[in-house]
Amino acid sequence: MFLTPRQEEIIQLARLHGRVLVDELSNRFTVSPQTIRKDLNDLCDRQLLNRIHGGATFPSSTENMQYEARRQIAAQEKQAIGLAAAALIPNNASLFINIGTTTEAVGEALTKHQEMMVITNNINVANRLRLLPSIEVIIAGGVVRASDGGIVGEAAVDFIRQFKVDFAVIGASAIDADGALLDFDFREVKVAQAIIANARHVILVSDSTKFERTAPVRIAQITQVHTFITDHCPVPSLRRICAESGVALVETDSIPKTFV
């Protein structure tokens, strides 16, 4: 299969970052947007990329992208989502925070909270919040996943089941139009399911790129959460499911910037 050098580089960029955008590629290669669209259409026709509005994504459905690349995707959107989630959680609360770059943004936004207990299987969250005297951090035991510092496995599940907390903050690697929340690692999914089962109020945080992805392992249905915070939900069926199931849908793109 013959690819031009530019197309090969586009594939590498998509593999690294998860998605590529027409305007960014046009600037990078100093060619017109029309030329980039032709490249993307060609690559998508060959099933090397998946077309999305304004760009394309790397079509992995069995393996998550590198952690640092995930951190870079929709970074501003994740920050706004984190602030919106933190605003729902009062002082003197107990909560779970699960693995993920968006859940880490929530942890970052909680740094001014007082008298909190945070239970997490996310080493990155624990390392950030342990420095704050007003927050007690409890970390799960189990296998530490080298790729992102997540703690997974049966030991982590058993640990989570010891608690019943006020709030849980969870993420997902992909969200289907039927409301299925999906991930890549069945060990992580088991922990997430235990977190959902042992929290009084479950907050799902996910940026809108997750609607463009797929993953093979089911975490739960969106009807099992109480609040869903995203930058924008472009999927009508998900909006309908949230409305019919009493799931509060918060879109940060609709919140005045002075409040997030």
Side-chain angles (χ1 to χ4, degrees):
M1 181 182 298
F2 175 78
L3 297 176
T4 68
R6 185 175 60 242
Q7 289 176 332
E8 290 179 350
E9 188 170 345
I10 289 172
I11 291 290
Q12 292 303 316
L13 289 168
R15 181 179 290 112
L16 176 62
H17 297 293
R19 66 172 178 172
V20 288
L21 300 177
V22 170
D23 290 342
E24 292 177 359
L25 293 174
S26 176
N27 291 332
R28 182 186 183 94
F29 296 107
T30 320
V31 296
S32 69
Q34 290 78 8
T35 299
I36 294 298
R37 291 191 188 98
K38 184 177 183 300
D39 282 337
L40 294 183
N41 289 337
D42 186 30
L43 293 171
C44 291
D45 288 344
R46 302 187 196 190
Q47 299 183 333
L48 296 174
L49 295 178
N50 291 329
R51 200 74 162 88
I52 60 170
H53 179 71
T57 59
F58 190 74
S60 173
S61 62
T62 59
E63 182 179 357
N64 210 351
M65 68 188 70
Q66 294 180 5
Y67 194 67
E68 286 305 317
R70 286 156 52 197
R71 272 185 167 165
Q72 295 172 29
I73 291 175
Q76 292 183 339
E77 289 84 353
K78 290 173 182 176
Q79 182 183 40
I81 291 167
L83 290 168
L88 297 179
I89 300 170
N91 292 326
N92 302 295
S94 58
L95 68 148
F96 293 126
I97 300 182
N98 197 17
I99 303 168
T101 55
T102 312
T103 57
E104 285 183 25
V106 179
E108 187 67 31
L110 289 171
T111 54
K112 295 182 180 179
H113 279 56
Q114 301 294 317
E115 304 303 321
M116 299 192 71
M117 174 188 287
V118 174
I119 303 144
T120 185
N121 64 327
N122 186 326
I123 283 179
N124 303 305
V125 168
N127 275 336
R128 178 67 182 94
L129 296 183
R130 70 180 174 82
L131 303 174
L132 306 174
S134 61
I135 299 180
E136 179 183 13
V137 178
I138 303 173
I139 193 163
V143 176
V144 180
R145 196 165 56 189
S147 61
D148 59 5
I151 301 171
V152 297
E154 288 301 320
V157 172
D158 291 342
F159 180 85
I160 293 297
R161 287 173 176 162
Q162 297 179 76
F163 300 91
K164 186 74 174 183
V165 301
D166 300 317
F167 295 90
V169 178
I170 66 166
S173 293
I175 303 176
D176 264 6
D178 66 358
L181 311 180
L182 305 168
D183 216 305
F184 293 90
D185 187 339
F186 72 91
R187 300 171 302 169
E188 179 180 342
V189 164
K190 291 291 185 183
V191 179
Q193 290 169 343
I195 285 173
I196 291 170
N198 290 284
R200 298 180 181 91
H201 188 109
V202 179
I203 301 173
L204 170 67
V205 292
S206 178
D207 68 85
S208 56
T209 65
K210 303 301 173 62
F211 303 123
E212 302 162 358
R213 303 184 67 198
T214 185
V217 188
R218 182 188 299 272
I219 303 170
Q221 286 294 122
I222 201 167
T223 54
Q224 293 173 251
V225 312
H226 301 88
T227 303
F228 174 31
I229 305 177
T230 184
D231 53 307
H232 174 60
C233 179
V235 185
S237 59
L238 281 174
R239 288 180 171 278
R240 187 189 72 250
I241 291 168
C242 287
E244 292 175 351
S245 303
V247 177
L249 174 61
V250 178
E251 295 174 280
T252 58
D253 280 358
S254 302
I255 301 175
K257 298 306 179 185
T258 53
F259 293 99
V260 297

